[in-house]
Amino acid sequence: MGHSRTTLADVAAAAGVSVSTASLAFSGSGPIADDTRARVLAAAAELGYSGPNPLGRSLRSGRSGIAGVVIGDQLRRSFRDPVSVQVLDGLVSTLGRQGLGVLLVASEAQVDDEDAIVPSPLLESAAMDAAVVIWGAHRDDPSLAVLQRRGVPVVVGEGPSSVDAPVVGIDDRGGSAALGRHLLDLGHRRVATVTLPFDRRRRCGPVDAARMEQLDWTPTRHRLAGLRDAGIDPVAVVEADASLVEAGQAAGRLALDVADPPTAVVAQSDLLAAGVLIAARDLGLRVPDDVSVAGFDGLDLPWLAPDVLTTVAQPLAAKGEAMGQMVLELLAGGTPASVTLDVELRPGTTTGPPRG
Amino acid sequence: MGHSRTTLADVAAAAGVSVSTASLAFSGSGPIADDTRARVLAAAAELGYSGPNPLGRSLRSGRSGIAGVVIGDQLRRSFRDPVSVQVLDGLVSTLGRQGLGVLLVASEAQVDDEDAIVPSPLLESAAMDAAVVIWGAHRDDPSLAVLQRRGVPVVVGEGPSSVDAPVVGIDDRGGSAALGRHLLDLGHRRVATVTLPFDRRRRCGPVDAARMEQLDWTPTRHRLAGLRDAGIDPVAVVEADASLVEAGQAAGRLALDVADPPTAVVAQSDLLAAGVLIAARDLGLRVPDDVSVAGFDGLDLPWLAPDVLTTVAQPLAAKGEAMGQMVLELLAGGTPASVTLDVELRPGTTTGPPRG
DNA sequence: TGGCGCTCTCGAAACGATTCGACGGCCCAT
DNA sequence: ATGGGCCGTCGAATCGTTTCGAGAGCGCCA
């Protein structure tokens, strides 16, 4: 309360011991007599001293106890997507158990004047022992570059394996292929697809050859490739500008409201699929009789009831936990290997045979 | 790469200046000749030095540049609720603009052995210049106590005004009262309500007098009181265990599947209201002909279309921004006053006159 | 009784930066 | 020519903690 915060030195003085002994009393490492420790703790309580200042401790130990989580996007958008949230939850739990805090960093701060995107200053200057680029890192990602220049060890989620950091991914391609075969088996031949954004210049609309060239975002590319692996050549590819229901609705309308509509629409996320379902309903199409719809992620969407979305389920929390484990491994000096988690086709009621 | 990280001293030596001059070159505060600064920066680039170490800087300045955000809950639950997410977004934007980072702290870590709940160690030991208890603080909140003992200035969201910290709240009571009058005007007399949790021992089920005694959570209490202010004495009060669609669905069934069902159901959140809508549909009730349904929050729920939920809209992002402003004010040494933000009744298509 | 070893405590040196007061030039004005 | 003001640079102190080596005291055994 008085002039300046009470420090370990004050406590030591009050307890009649040296600063180093007082430090021992708190850290617990090193030999110290029980009654000495008790005396120090009593003095601390007396003075209202609540443990060593983390700043001093950090400086000395060189560790901040903080892992940065870089959201490759604005927070608002990221957090509206349950996918990011569940991954984040697994990550925070794993790190929290080890006493590590999570510092939220939105990698991009939109500048008002220009349309320019500047990396958050936090990337440059915040203290972190390691960082997780949780979503959407790409080759030559500026945030990745900044972190690596700073010497911060990085774990990447869903990025290309070409980045110089361990990656936690899922079998996007295999899962999409399984879904593709599912549709082929049902008899679908005219399949459209609604994709996640292609790059950070998110667009909403049909994809032409030129746009296809610019496909930079790994999950988008892999899920598209998986469909082709199954032997499906989409009659239409529509890019959505975010993994949100509204975006799926808009894209779904574009895919369905055409002269010769597809018999099935594969959306690259469950939220997009939900939007496609709404678009189909708006157009008076019944699902799955008039059109089949499938998603990706395996979210729990109770408001879709009584429909159950056909989807490819990915282990979201496990993904976050895997990232957390990697961070711990990096901090322990190890060099974790990239991981690809398995996914599982989960057929629901929104896919069925095409109408005769 | 070599032995130890390159430091400002190394850069200074390489540039042939003193450490203090080198510091000046980076911090920009204080007089320094242009070519000197250039020489220092060149030396820094040469050595791969990327700016002053935040740990050292923090220790010296006493500021970590980090604001803790205490989620009074497990992350998973909090983040499934768009309300928290939008508030968080406003908060992070506001703080981020000032170069402040946000450290996520889940105030409770469930212990596996017992059912006991222990405060996260981060609350005790993480470096933060200020903290925001974003949701659900209550009197004698242990996390609040820990923070205040540490001398960390705190801002509280949605807590009782009795806590010793500035509070950002909304006019829960007035909004609910307006909604109540709206229903009365339509002619409703038998109104049931589905509430948010009463305390951290979340329950799902009808509320009796004993349970009503335990009502500890401020928004729940105020929204209930507002209804009474309007002159509505609910024929049934059903507590939901979380602000989630599933919970609303369960609670809605309890409220509607009774001998003499209410003509209107007021849910204390939009997600709960969505669940009630689903429950009504499951029971074969048409909305608003057979039963009116209203919510609270003003979320954007596209999947409800073509229905538009009658609700009380609260300024979610503005709430987060207000919290951010308070943090900045606290950091500047001020003593911000508590704020109550306005809400707005927004009638939709889910409420109408009762039948007959 | 003397020596050895063990336990506990202490002092001092980092950790990496900021900041304040002092000082050395230089230019300009008198 | 000389004194005053100003600009730019430097040294040194400081932030609060941890850690390492040294040393003090004590008990036990020979």
Side-chain angles (χ1 to χ4, degrees):
Chain A
M1 288 303 169
H3 47 308
S4 114
R5 190 158 264 45
T6 78
T7 147
L8 195 52
D10 301 332
V11 174
V17 298
S18 75
V19 184
S20 38
T21 303
S23 171
L24 255 27
F26 280 99
S27 74
S29 72
I32 186 172
D34 284 346
D35 61 341
T36 308
R37 164 193 277 114
R39 212 166 60 247
V40 173
L41 294 182
E46 181 80 18
L47 295 177
Y49 176 83
S50 50
N53 181 328
L55 265 34
R57 181 205 290 269
S58 292
L59 174 58
R60 177 61 227 234
S61 63
R63 287 268 170 109
S64 62
I66 288 178
V69 170
V70 182
I71 313 275
D73 207 341
Q74 288 167 305
L75 239 50
R76 186 180 354 238
R77 200 153 38 196
S78 275
F79 284 172
R80 286 184 67 181
D81 187 351
V83 171
S84 319
V85 170
Q86 288 188 48
V87 171
L88 194 62
D89 186 65
L91 180 58
V92 173
S93 315
T94 304
L95 293 179
R97 250 193 300 280
Q98 306 297 318
L100 282 178
V102 163
L103 183 73
L104 236 44
V105 181
S107 77
E108 310 172 355
Q110 208 89 27
V111 177
D112 287 334
D113 306 349
E114 298 267 330
D115 201 25
I117 286 173
V118 294
S120 160
L122 286 174
L123 268 182
E124 292 277 5
S125 66
M128 42 182 125
D129 298 339
V132 179
V133 178
I134 203 175
W135 181 257
H138 55 279
R139 212 180 339 246
D140 308 327
D141 195 316
S143 28
L144 220 55
V146 168
L147 290 169
Q148 290 179 331
R149 179 162 50 72
R150 284 185 60 187
V152 176
V154 176
V155 171
V156 170
E158 295 297 355
S161 52
S162 62
V163 302
D164 185 22
V167 176
V168 176
I170 58 171
D171 185 13
D172 287 294
R173 195 158 175 173
S176 282
L179 179 57
R181 284 192 298 271
H182 168 71
L183 291 174
L184 283 178
D185 289 349
L186 286 171
H188 292 275
R189 292 299 176 266
R190 297 184 49 76
V191 177
T193 184
V194 170
T195 76
L196 293 168
F198 273 36
D199 58 14
R200 41 183 16 107
R201 254 188 355 280
R202 305 149 165 277
R203 292 197 190 158
C204 177
V207 172
D208 55 16
R211 182 61 177 154
M212 194 63 87
E213 285 296 308
Q214 302 172 331
L215 177 40
D216 176 40
W217 211 359
T218 311
T220 309
R221 186 171 52 242
H222 284 173
R223 293 180 194 180
L224 212 42
L227 224 50
R228 295 223 165 82
D229 288 347
I232 290 182
D233 185 31
V235 296
V237 177
V238 181
E239 175 182 0
D241 56 0
S243 183
L244 294 176
V245 175
E246 299 91 316
Q249 192 175 355
R253 200 182 343 261
L254 290 177
L256 290 170
D257 196 8
V258 294
D260 193 7
T263 62
V265 177
V266 173
Q268 286 193 344
S269 83
D270 283 352
L271 252 33
L272 288 175
V276 172
L277 284 176
I278 293 175
R281 197 190 53 201
D282 290 346
L283 292 169
L285 299 171
R286 279 167 314 160
V287 173
D289 300 329
D290 298 325
V291 62
S292 287
V293 175
F296 200 112
D297 287 337
L299 295 184
D300 193 29
L301 302 178
W303 37 269
L304 239 42
D307 285 338
V308 178
L309 186 64
T310 294
T311 190
V312 177
Q314 59 165 316
L316 293 169
K319 202 198 274 185
E321 285 158 16
M323 291 175 177
Q325 285 301 337
M326 280 190 178
V327 166
L328 297 176
E329 219 171 315
L330 281 172
L331 257 39
T335 57
S338 291
V339 166
T340 301
L341 301 174
D342 280 339
V343 298
E344 178 200 5
L345 175 65
R346 194 189 289 165
T349 64
T350 58
T351 47
R355 211 170 28 180
Chain B
M1 292 301 166
H3 49 309
S4 116
R5 190 158 256 52
T6 79
T7 148
L8 193 53
D10 301 332
V11 175
V17 300
S18 75
V19 185
S20 37
T21 302
S23 171
L24 255 28
F26 281 98
S27 74
S29 71
I32 187 170
D34 282 347
D35 60 342
T36 309
R37 165 193 276 116
R39 212 166 60 247
V40 172
L41 295 182
E46 180 80 19
L47 295 177
Y49 176 83
S50 49
N53 181 329
L55 265 32
R57 178 205 291 268
S58 291
L59 176 59
R60 176 62 227 234
S61 63
R63 287 270 171 106
S64 61
I66 289 178
V69 170
V70 181
I71 312 275
D73 208 342
Q74 288 168 303
L75 240 49
R76 184 181 353 239
R77 198 155 39 198
S78 276
F79 283 173
R80 286 184 67 180
D81 188 349
V83 171
S84 318
V85 170
Q86 288 187 49
V87 172
L88 194 61
D89 186 64
L91 180 58
V92 172
S93 318
T94 304
L95 294 179
R97 251 192 300 280
Q98 305 298 319
L100 282 178
V102 163
L103 183 72
L104 234 45
V105 181
S107 77
E108 310 171 354
Q110 207 91 26
V111 177
D112 287 333
D113 307 349
E114 299 267 330
D115 201 24
I117 286 173
V118 295
S120 159
L122 286 174
L123 268 181
E124 293 278 4
S125 65
M128 41 183 125
D129 298 340
V132 179
V133 178
I134 203 176
W135 180 258
H138 56 279
R139 211 181 339 244
D140 308 329
D141 196 315
S143 28
L144 221 54
V146 167
L147 289 168
Q148 290 179 332
R149 178 162 50 73
R150 284 185 60 186
V152 175
V154 176
V155 171
V156 170
E158 294 297 357
S161 52
S162 61
V163 301
D164 184 22
V167 176
V168 177
I170 57 171
D171 185 13
D172 289 294
R173 195 159 175 171
S176 282
L179 179 57
R181 285 191 299 272
H182 168 71
L183 291 174
L184 283 178
D185 289 348
L186 286 171
H188 292 275
R189 292 301 175 266
R190 298 184 48 75
V191 177
T193 183
V194 170
T195 75
L196 293 168
F198 272 36
D199 58 14
R200 37 183 20 106
R201 252 188 356 278
R202 305 148 166 277
R203 292 197 190 158
C204 177
V207 172
D208 54 17
R211 182 60 177 154
M212 194 63 87
E213 284 296 308
Q214 301 172 331
L215 177 40
D216 175 41
W217 210 359
T218 312
T220 310
R221 187 172 51 241
H222 284 174
R223 293 180 195 181
L224 211 42
L227 224 49
R228 295 224 164 82
D229 288 348
I232 291 183
D233 184 30
V235 295
V237 177
V238 181
E239 175 184 0
D241 56 0
S243 184
L244 294 176
V245 175
E246 299 93 314
Q249 192 175 356
R253 199 182 343 260
L254 289 178
L256 290 170
D257 196 8
V258 294
D260 194 7
T263 62
V265 177
V266 173
Q268 286 192 345
S269 84
D270 284 353
L271 253 30
L272 288 175
V276 173
L277 284 175
I278 293 175
R281 196 189 54 200
D282 290 347
L283 293 169
L285 299 170
R286 280 166 314 160
V287 173
D289 301 329
D290 298 324
V291 62
S292 287
V293 175
F296 199 112
D297 287 337
L299 295 184
D300 193 29
L301 302 178
W303 36 269
L304 239 42
D307 285 338
V308 178
L309 186 64
T310 293
T311 190
V312 177
Q314 59 165 317
L316 292 169
K319 201 197 274 185
E321 285 158 17
M323 292 176 177
Q325 286 301 338
M326 281 191 179
V327 166
L328 296 175
E329 219 172 314
L330 281 172
L331 257 38
T335 58
S338 291
V339 165
T340 301
L341 302 174
D342 280 338
V343 299
E344 178 200 5
L345 176 65
R346 192 188 291 165
T349 64
T350 59
T351 48
R355 209 172 29 179

